Structures are given as structure tokens and as C-alpha cells.
């Protein structure tokens, strides 16, 4: 945990330095997203990169969703097949990549696939994850120095056999929606903010604060629940934080995660990907 905190502090320093001669590779992943061209215009992505004093190495970004459907299909099977395709694309496009080489990531996809993308990238590479904004330039960080307090708490005690971790940052997820899937004997923790919304990730420092809170939460979940071998993750968070959560995940130290995706308000959540453990897709 101490090592992770030092790495996060070093990352904050590196991301806030002006690096006039830095260059980077641009990488995109737009899966199950309608009107993809609204978010993936090359000039828009280049403006976001240049704004961070980085300079793109190529005119056309590397696309990790080649051959992936853009129409959202709400099923475990489709998410699993896309996770396999994504894994193949990352391995192909990232081979021979040097750790010091900068990568600018722009991604919109269902939460399980964003988390999976983060695990494939990991935090050992020099990665800049961009947030899609609803106001102004979609990918360019605004001139904003605001901060956010992340709140971690246990909201329900169970019998020690089933552990749920709700990351409700974009919208509130009440415990009844979790127990309807896992049963009433589950233990539930939340990582949230005072007023969950989609707009609060306005600078890189907020991303880093989330990663530190996520790391503390993962350590607490493992240490305080020795009878649980798996964490059931119910995510609702801005897209860049889903990627950063996956980047921070440590398969050798953290419990395996089962990631859930909401199908609809009526149907609720469905199980999708296993990350970590022998069944990792």
C-alpha cells in the first residue's frame, strides 16, 4: 500500500510537469457506443493531447475496437467475447512497447470492458487516461482545480460468505439492487461521493485521488473479509475512473473480481466478467 501511494504521488508530479518534447501514441477504444464519430474525431483527440503538452506520434490513433460491434448488446456472452477480442488487440498493438513511452487513452464502453482495458494496460506503463466531458471540448481537460472527497463505508453486514463492492460515483446504487442479485446475506461496501454525478472528473488530480481511495478500499475488503474469496463489483462511474480502477488492480494481491453490468432499471444487474483468478476472461 505504501509503495502504491508513492507511485501515485510520483505520477501526479509527472502529469503536472510541462513536457515540451514529450510524444505519445494515441489509443482509442469505442465499443457498444452509438454515434462513435462524435467522440473519435482525430483532430479532437489531437487537441486534447497537445493541451497536455504531449505530441501525437501518428496521424491516425490505434483503434482497439477493430471488428467490435458498436451496437450495445446486453448479455454476458457478448461482453465476454468482446473482452477476449480486446485482449487480443492490446497484446498485438502493445507488443514491443517501452515502459517509458507515453500512451494517451480515449475510451467509451460498458463498465466491465473499461475495467478490463485498465487491467490489460496496467499501471506499469506511462498512460494518460482522458475523460470524456459533456461540456466544452469532449476530451480536453478544462482549466479546473477542483477536488472531490471519496467516501468509503460498509452499509450492510452479511454472514461473511459473499462480498459486494459498490462503486457508485456517477449515480447512486441502493443496496436493494445488490441484494436482489446476491441475496440478503451479502456484505456490502460503497465507494462514493456526496452527490454522485457524471461530471465531477475535471482534472487528473481527481483521478489520482480516486485511485488512492480505490487502493485503500481493495486492501480493506481483503483484510476485513477473510472468508470471502471473490469481490462482486457493481460499478457506476465516469469512464476514465473505470479504466484507472482496472489499471490499479493487482491480480497477485487482490481478490478476484466479478464485474456486473446494469441491463435496465427493470431487469437490474447481470454478471459479466471475472477478472483475476483461474476463470479470468
Amino acid at each position: 500500500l505504501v509503495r502504491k501511494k508513492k507511485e501515485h504521488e510520483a505520477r501526479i508530479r509527472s502529469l503536472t510537469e510541462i513536457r515540451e518534447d514529450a510524444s505519445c501514441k494515441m489509443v482509442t477504444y469505442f465499443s457498444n457506443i452509438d454515434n462513435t464519430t462524435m467522440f473519435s474525431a482525430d483532430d479532437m483527440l489531437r487537441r486534447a493531447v497537445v493541451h497536455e503538452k504531449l505530441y501525437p506520434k501518428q496521424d491516425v490513433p490505434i483503434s482497439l475496437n477493430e471488428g467490435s460491434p458498436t451496437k450495445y448488446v446486453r448479455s454476458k456472452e457478448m461482453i465476454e467475447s468482446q473482452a477476449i477480442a480486446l485482449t487480443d488487440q492490446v497484446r498485438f498493438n502493445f507488443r514491443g512497447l517501452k515502459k517509458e513511452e507515453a500512451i494517451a487513452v480515449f475510451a467509451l464502453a460498458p463498465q466491465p470492458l473499461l475495467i478490463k482495458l485498465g487491467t490489460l494496460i496496467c499501471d506499469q506503463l506511462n498512460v494518460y487516461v482522458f475523460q470524456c466531458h459533456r461540456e466544452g471540448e469532449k476530451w480536453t481537460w478544462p482549466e479546473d482545480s477542483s477536488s472531490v472527497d471519496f467516501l468509503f463505508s460498509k452499509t450492510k453486514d452479511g454472514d461473511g460468505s459473499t462480498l459486494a463492492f459498490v462503486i457508485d460515483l456517477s449515480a447512486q446504487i441502493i443496496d436493494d439492487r445488490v441484494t436482489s442479485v446476491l441475496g440478503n446475506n451479502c456484505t456490502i461496501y460503497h465507494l462514493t461521493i456526496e452527490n454522485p454525478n457524471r461530471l465531477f472528473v475535471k482534472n487528473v488530480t481527481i483521478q489520482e485521488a480516486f485511485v488512492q481511495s480505490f487502493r485503500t478500499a481493495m486492501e480493506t475488503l481483503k483484510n476485513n473479509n477473510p472468508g470471502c474469496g471473490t469481490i462482486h463489483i457493481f460499478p457506476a462511474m465516469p469512464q476514465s475512473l473505470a479504466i484507472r480502477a482496472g489499471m490499479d488492480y493487482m491480480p497477485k494481491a487482490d481478490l478476484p473480481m466479478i464485474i456486473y453490468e446494469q441491463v435496465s432499471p427493470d431487469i437490474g444487474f447481470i454478471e459479466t466478467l471475472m477478472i483475476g483468478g483461474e476463470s479470468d476472461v
Side-chain angles (χ1 to χ4, degrees):
L1 182 58
V2 172
R3 178 180 63 83
K4 279 288 183 180
K5 287 183 178 178
K6 288 182 179 179
E7 289 176 356
H8 295 321
E9 291 170 357
R11 184 179 177 84
I12 290 173
R13 289 194 298 271
S14 68
L15 290 174
T16 54
E17 291 174 354
I18 296 177
R19 303 169 55 182
E20 295 293 345
D21 60 347
S23 60
C24 72
K25 288 186 175 181
M26 295 190 299
V27 175
T28 64
Y29 181 61
F30 298 107
S31 180
N32 295 340
I33 299 298
D34 292 330
N35 301 318
T36 304
T37 54
M38 287 178 55
F39 307 99
S40 60
D42 294 348
D43 58 341
M44 182 166 54
L45 305 184
R46 282 195 293 270
R47 285 197 299 271
V49 168
V50 170
H51 185 267
E52 298 307 301
K53 303 296 188 292
L54 295 164
Y55 299 94
K57 283 186 174 182
Q58 77 277 50
D59 292 331
V60 179
I62 297 169
S63 174
L64 300 178
N65 54 282
E66 291 299 324
S68 178
T70 57
K71 185 66 176 177
Y72 186 20
V73 179
R74 297 173 172 86
S75 73
K76 177 180 180 180
E77 293 74 20
M78 178 58 74
I79 298 258
E80 285 181 337
S81 68
Q82 289 182 293
I84 294 170
L86 173 60
T87 301
D88 292 340
Q89 285 290 326
V90 170
R91 288 173 178 168
F92 175 78
N93 286 287
F94 282 39
R95 60 185 176 182
L97 194 67
K98 297 179 181 179
K99 287 188 175 182
E100 63 271 15
E101 190 168 5
I103 304 169
V105 175
F106 304 87
L108 291 172
Q111 304 260 297
L113 292 171
L114 293 173
I115 295 172
K116 181 65 177 181
L117 173 60
T119 65
L120 295 169
I121 295 173
C122 77
D123 65 354
Q124 300 302 309
L125 298 175
N126 187 16
V127 179
Y128 298 75
V129 181
F130 285 80
Q131 173 66 35
C132 185
H133 308 287
R134 288 177 173 260
E135 300 175 350
E137 283 273 355
K138 285 199 175 296
W139 294 103
T140 300
W141 289 108
E143 300 300 327
D144 186 289
S145 60
S146 60
S147 62
V148 174
D149 292 325
F150 292 93
L151 310 172
F152 179 62
S153 64
K154 181 195 288 187
T155 59
K156 184 181 181 303
D157 268 318
D159 62 7
S161 63
T162 307
L163 177 61
F165 183 21
V166 179
I167 309 176
D168 49 348
L169 301 171
S170 298
Q172 183 184 25
I173 300 175
I174 62 174
D175 286 354
D176 285 352
R177 295 169 65 190
V178 177
T179 57
S180 68
V181 177
L182 299 180
N184 201 47
N185 291 326
C186 63
T187 300
I188 303 177
Y189 290 79
H190 284 251
L191 180 60
T192 188
I193 57 177
E194 186 174 353
N195 296 302
N197 67 89
R198 301 179 181 180
L199 307 177
F200 71 89
V201 183
K202 297 181 179 180
N203 55 61
V204 174
T205 303
I206 291 174
Q207 280 188 347
E208 298 299 332
F210 163 75
V211 173
Q212 291 192 39
S213 297
F214 176 80
R215 174 51 30 209
T216 300
M218 292 295 285
E219 295 286 342
T220 301
L221 292 171
K222 180 180 66 175
N223 294 335
N224 291 5
N225 300 274
C228 296
T230 304
I231 304 175
H232 298 262
I233 306 284
F234 293 79
M237 51 182 154
Q239 115 281 336
S240 68
L241 300 191
I243 298 169
R244 292 300 307 275
M247 289 173 60
D248 188 71
Y249 179 72
M250 298 188 294
K252 295 182 179 180
D254 292 330
L255 293 173
M257 304 185 298
I258 297 175
I259 314 297
Y260 290 76
E261 169 78 348
Q262 178 173 279
V263 175
S264 69
D266 294 334
I267 297 175
F269 286 92
I270 61 170
E271 177 183 328
T272 60
L273 301 179
M274 165 75 85
I275 292 177
E278 296 179 357
S279 300
D280 191 349
V281 174

